[in-house]
Every structure is written in structure tokens, then in C-alpha cells.
């Protein structure tokens, strides 16, 4: 089956509402087309080769990684990589959820090595912060440590996730709390975050299950777990996607991050989805963001057009 990344009328209308941090980005965000050879690619979905349940956190941890390798690999060519982080309110979700599989198939078909991960989950009385971020950092370090084995360019690694996964993806763009003992970086160079919390100090819903304390008890922990409060001048390019009808994570969360990034002159885009509720995939009957996400990552990670085998 041949999958062609195309934008429908719905995405065109949504893209017209995109906002960015610079005038040049404004033009790019509203000029979404499929004319670019980097975006308008015919790709073969069946040619994506997943490697299941890799113990990226070590043999004693139950959380694993699924690695999706692009088809038509060229010997000696290093591919960019993307860490895919599932949502689930920090207490559930899976690397094998339909949305995450769609992300992996889309991006690996476009030439990216994709690592979809499970990570430690929180439960009542058992918060996962800050270990959950350490798990996500470990996934990035794993890709860099095994770059030669999987044909990865260690300098071109990004992250994508929705909801809780979006927050964790955004945190992977922040400076690390402390360098790893082996000196390998756990930071990414591009971020795509769908309907993500960005400032836990002001969200309508408290994330007490994640932090283990209420905002009133430990405002410091809520602040350090908020991407908005960890922005630095070297924060990587970011694509935010958020719906106006989201009742789980209010649109204001992405708007706050956009405003902060704009003030710091950071590269960013915000696509506002009219009527969009929480937890939509990259593509459904109403929207199709596949080409936009690929275009953003290609541009942000400076990926050269890939020579894919002819579709059969």
C-alpha cells in the first residue's frame, strides 16, 4: 500500500491560523503546501521495520522501546531520529497505542529512525517525577550510544508527543539538570508537542499524581516540571498543535508557551485547530498534520531529501 503525505482542505484552513515567533516563520506556517520534494513523498508503509521491546533502560526495567527503522537505508548514510512519547495522564498509555504507531509509521516512512518508548508511570501515592524525565532522557542517550548500530545521526534527534507525552517532549528540549556519567547528552534538537501542558503552576487541573504534592505544598516542583519556566536562549525549534475545544489541557497552555518563546525570539510555531478536542492523532477524518510535521522536522533538523526506493 502506498501512502502519500498530502494536506486536505481542513489542514489548509487550520494552517491559516498558525502563529509563529518571527515574520519569516509566519509566512512558512501559512504557506503549507505539498509542492516541496521534502514533503510530498510517496512512501511504502509496509517497508517500515519495527524492532520490538528493546530494553533501553536496562534488563531489570519492564519499560521498553520499539524502534522503527526506515526502509531503503543507504549504507553509510546516517538518519535523523525521533523519540515518540505517549500520553496517558502520566498514569497510563502505551508505546503501542494507535496514535503513537501512526506517528512512528509516518515519520519512519519519511526517513526517520523512530523510537517509541514506555516510561515509568505514576499512581496514587507513587509519583513519577523526576524519574519519568530521566527515563525519557535515557531514551535519547540510548539512541546516541547506539547510533552506529542503527544508522542514526546523533546530532539530529528530536521528540514528539501528545498531552503528557507533549510535556515530556518539551522537557527534552531543556538543558539537562546534570550531565550523564558517560557524557552522552539526553537533550533533543527539535520538539513537536500536541495539546501539551506547559506551565503546571497555572493549569486548570493540578498534576498532583505526577509531582506527588499539590501546587500549594510544593510550588517549586511544579515550576521545575514546567517547560515554560525552563526556556533558555538555546531552546530548540518547536511546533505546537492545540485544539480550541480541548477540555483536558486548555489552549491557553500552548498560548502561554508561544508568548514566552516569542518574547525570547525562539523558533516556534503554534497551529490552532478550530473545534479540536483533546488527543487527536496526526491524521483522522478531520485533520491531517503528517506533512506539516515532516516538513517542520526536516527544516528544523536540516534533513537532506532522502532517495527512497521506487514505490512498488
Amino acid at each position: 500500500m502506498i501512502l502519500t503525505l498530502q494536506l486536505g482542505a481542513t489542514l489548509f484552513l487550520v494552517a491559516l491560523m498558525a502563529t509563529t515567533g518571527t515574520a519569516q516563520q509566519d509566512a512558512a506556517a501559512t504557506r503549507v503546501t505539498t509542492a516541496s520534494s521534502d514533503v510530498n513523498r510517496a512512501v511504502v508503509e509496509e517497508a517500515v521495520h519495527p524492532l520490538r521491546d528493546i530494553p533501553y533502560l536496562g534488563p531489570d526495567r519492564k519499560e521498553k522501546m520499539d524502534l522503527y527503522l526506515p526502509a531503503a537505508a543507504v549504507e553509510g548514510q546516517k538518519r535523523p531520529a525521533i523519540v515518540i512519547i505517549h500520553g496517558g495522564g502520566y498514569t497510563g498509555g502505551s508505546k503501542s497505542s494507535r496514535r503513537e504507531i501512526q506517528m512512528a509509521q509516518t515519520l519512519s516512512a519519511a526517513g526517520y529512525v523512530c523510537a517509541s518508548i514506555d516510561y515509568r508511570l505514576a499512581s496514587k501515592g507513587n509519583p513519577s517525577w523526576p524519574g519519568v524525565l530521566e527515563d525519557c532522557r535515557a531514551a535519547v542517550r540510548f539512541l546516541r550510544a547506539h547510533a552506529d548500530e542503527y544508522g542514526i545521526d546523533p546530532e539530529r534527534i528530536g521528540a514528539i508527543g501528545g498531552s503528557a507525552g507533549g510535556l515530556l517532549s518539551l522537557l527534552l528540549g531543556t538543558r539537562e539538570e546534570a550531565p550523564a556519567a558517560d557524557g552522552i547528552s539526553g537533550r533533543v534538537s527539535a520538539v513537536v508537542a500536541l495539546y501539551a501542558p506547559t506551565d503546571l503552576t497555572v493549569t486548570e487541573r493540578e498534576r498532583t499524581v505526577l509531582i506527588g504534592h499539590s501546587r500549594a505544598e510544593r510550588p517549586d516542583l511544579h515550576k521545575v516540571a514546567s517547560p515554560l519556566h525552563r526556556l533558555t536562549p538555546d531552546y530548540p525549534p518547536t511546533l505546537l498543535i492545540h485544539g480550541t475545544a480541548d477540555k483536558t489541557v486548555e489552549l491557553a497552555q500552548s498560548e502561554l508557551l508561544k508568548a514566552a518563546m516569542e518574547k525570547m525570539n525562539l523558533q516556534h510555531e503554534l497551529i490552532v485547530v478550530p473545534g479540536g478536542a483533546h488527543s487527536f492523532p496526526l491524521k483522522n477524518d478531520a485533520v491531517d498534520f503528517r506533512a506539516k510535521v515532516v516538513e517542520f522536522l526536516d527544516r528544523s533538523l536540516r534533513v537532506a531529501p532522502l532517495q527512497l526506493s521506487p514505490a512498488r
Side-chain angles (χ1 to χ4, degrees), residues 276-292:
H278 194 68
S279 202
F280 50 81
L282 290 184
K283 180 189 182 301
N284 59 22
D285 292 340
V287 298
D288 188 347
F289 293 108
R290 294 173 300 171
K292 177 58 183 175

Side-chain angles (χ1 to χ4, degrees), residues 174-250:
T174 65
R175 292 177 180 174
E176 299 184 74
E177 300 75 12
D182 57 11
I184 299 176
S185 173
R187 193 180 188 191
V188 300
S189 299
V191 178
V192 179
L194 289 76
Y195 33 82
T198 67
D199 186 355
L200 301 188
T201 69
V202 298
T203 50
E204 293 179 5
R205 295 186 180 188
E206 285 204 47
R207 269 65 182 185
T208 305
V209 68
L210 168 68
I211 304 298
H213 299 273
S214 69
R215 281 195 291 245
E217 293 170 334
R218 292 297 303 271
D220 57 321
L221 293 181
H222 285 76
K223 186 173 183 178
V224 77
S226 300
L228 182 142
H229 293 289
R230 297 180 61 164
L231 294 179
T232 51
D234 60 347
Y235 193 86
T238 302
L239 174 63
L240 304 169
I241 304 175
H242 215 128
T244 61
D246 196 327
K247 303 300 183 184
T248 302
V249 179
E250 59 275 19

Side-chain angles (χ1 to χ4, degrees), residues 105-127:
Q105 289 178 335
T106 296
L107 296 175
S108 56
Y112 290 82
V113 175
C114 293
S116 188
I117 64 170
D118 282 335
Y119 49 84
R120 74 187 72 189
L121 299 175
S123 59
K124 188 174 182 180
N126 185 31

